[in-house]
Amino acid sequence: MLNKNDEAILKQLGTDKTKAYQLLVNSYAGFVLNACLKQIPNKQDAEDLTQEVFLAAHLNLEKFEGRSKLSTWLYSIIINKCREHHRNQNRLKRKGVEQSIDDENIQWSNTPSVEFDHPGIQLERKEHANILFQAIGNLPENQRIAYSLNKIDGQSYAEVAEIMQQSVSSIESLIFRANKNLRKLLADFYEKNYQ
Amino acid sequence: MKQEDWINEILNSANDIDPVLPSKELMDRLNQVAPSETKGTIIPVRTVWMAAAGIALLVLLNVFTLRQYKKAQTIQEETVFETYYDHLNNYNV
């Protein structure tokens, strides 16, 4: 179901695309920036990604038919852009070979794919949040996205399933495995650094 | 602190993240996306590659035709030269 704001944007799209886009920016800039920050916890990178997301949204705005909420549609663009960003970062740091694609060989990598700089996390939690985001960065791609959307961004299983275009049961399984792997990664980190 | 407690603390460290407001600079950047994009025509990458391939094919065809032409010209010149001497020989000049 579309909310009033989405309906206004769709209505404006029929008459003036530039105005519809401006309405979209004014309504969703904060939403997109915060969603990007929860996937890529670096202010500069998240701002660049936000710009890329809005450029893609502007180019494809006519294709939005209103079957889903605008936020869900924007989320799918955000996820694609974040996937690209992670892949580019891993390629740049030649970390791709280290990152596991299955659950069994998962291991902690000390090279974070992004430098942690999240302005929305309180100072006393920054150190712990940095470790958490590093651990999340070591998860296989789909687990990382599903976990971030559900646990960090607070989306329901059904919403995550719609954004990632998968069934609810496969999302449940992805998040279950992500949780298990995160515990394994964090235990590994704890043993190496605190014992 | 026990390992399990520490892990739980880490997993809960991203709860209650404060929303971040977009800066004025970012809003300006976002609002510039629309006009800058609508000013020019966007050509799909596939079309650009097709055009590049077409030009390359034309250049190759030209090179090939020129080579064939030069080859044909050399053969023709040799034939004329030979027939001239043959002609002189035939008449014992």
Side-chain angles (χ1 to χ4, degrees):
Chain A
M1 276 291 286
L2 293 178
N3 60 35
K4 278 187 179 177
N5 217 1
D6 292 358
E7 278 174 6
I9 294 169
L10 264 183
K11 204 177 165 187
Q12 192 67 256
L13 191 60
T15 51
D16 189 342
K17 191 187 169 187
T18 310
K19 272 191 182 169
Y21 173 77
Q22 278 167 355
L23 208 57
L24 182 80
V25 168
N26 292 334
S27 313
Y28 284 100
F31 166 83
V32 173
L33 175 67
N34 283 286
C36 287
L37 271 169
K38 282 166 189 166
Q39 295 288 331
I40 314 280
N42 179 286
K43 190 177 174 247
Q44 189 59 52
D45 287 355
E47 285 188 344
D48 291 344
L49 276 171
T50 303
Q51 189 175 353
E52 282 180 36
V53 168
F54 275 103
L55 178 61
H58 183 257
L59 292 172
N60 297 293
L61 207 52
E62 288 99 339
K63 290 178 194 164
F64 178 70
E65 292 165 342
R67 283 185 201 157
S68 62
K69 285 191 279 182
L70 245 176
S71 57
T72 309
W73 182 69
L74 284 170
Y75 250 124
S76 57
I77 303 176
I78 294 166
I79 295 307
N80 281 335
K81 293 290 168 194
C82 290
R83 264 187 227 265
E84 279 173 27
H85 183 271
H86 264 284
R87 282 175 195 165
N88 290 340
Q89 289 292 316
N90 286 344
R91 205 178 300 137
L92 281 175
K93 297 195 174 182
R94 304 213 178 277
K95 197 186 144 212
V97 281
E98 288 172 33
Q99 197 162 29
S100 63
I101 47 164
D102 53 41
D103 294 357
E104 281 173 21
N105 300 321
I106 200 154
Q107 52 180 265
W108 184 276
S109 161
N110 277 326
T111 331
S113 54
V114 285
E115 192 189 327
F116 185 80
D117 173 28
H118 195 309
I121 292 176
Q122 288 152 7
L123 194 64
E124 62 268 22
R125 282 186 170 187
K126 273 205 165 130
E127 195 189 332
H128 281 178
N130 186 9
I131 296 170
L132 175 64
F133 276 100
Q134 260 197 71
I136 292 171
N138 284 304
L139 291 174
E141 193 174 74
N142 277 348
Q143 287 181 29
R144 186 188 69 235
I145 294 166
Y147 184 90
S148 301
L149 285 170
N150 178 247
K151 303 286 181 193
I152 313 282
D153 214 354
Q155 304 290 324
S156 68
Y157 285 158
E159 284 167 323
V160 179
E162 199 182 349
I163 293 163
M164 293 182 73
Q165 294 178 334
Q166 290 190 26
S167 66
V168 175
S169 57
S170 60
I171 295 298
E172 280 173 354
S173 157
L174 275 175
I175 293 169
F176 175 78
R177 273 158 41 217
N179 227 334
K180 199 174 143 198
N181 284 329
L182 272 180
R183 287 189 171 273
K184 209 157 97 183
L185 284 164
L186 290 171
D188 184 28
F189 181 88
Y190 185 86
E191 277 162 21
K192 278 181 190 161
N193 293 280
Y194 298 106
Q195 279 187 341
Chain B
M1 191 190 284
K2 279 183 184 174
Q3 185 175 306
E4 270 306 298
D5 295 335
W6 181 83
I7 290 173
N8 288 332
E9 206 170 288
I10 296 288
L11 290 174
N12 293 326
S13 62
N15 293 349
D16 309 319
I17 295 177
D18 294 329
V20 180
L21 288 173
S23 62
K24 196 190 165 293
E25 289 77 25
L26 178 64
M27 289 305 282
D28 289 343
R29 271 164 69 186
L30 298 180
N31 280 314
Q32 278 165 7
V33 165
S36 63
E37 187 273 326
T38 44
K39 265 179 197 168
T41 317
I42 291 168
I43 302 164
V45 182
R46 186 185 278 186
T47 316
V48 176
W49 277 110
M50 293 275 275
I55 291 166
L57 192 70
L58 270 174
V59 170
L60 277 173
L61 270 173
N62 272 300
V63 170
F64 180 73
T65 318
L66 266 172
R67 276 189 171 188
Q68 290 295 97
Y69 176 73
K70 277 197 172 176
K71 212 174 172 182
Q73 216 175 16
T74 323
I75 291 168
Q76 204 179 5
E77 273 171 14
E78 276 172 7
T79 321
V80 170
F81 193 68
E82 272 172 21
T83 41
Y84 175 71
Y85 279 101
D86 287 348
H87 184 74
L88 289 176
N89 283 337
N90 285 342
Y91 289 92
N92 291 322
V93 180

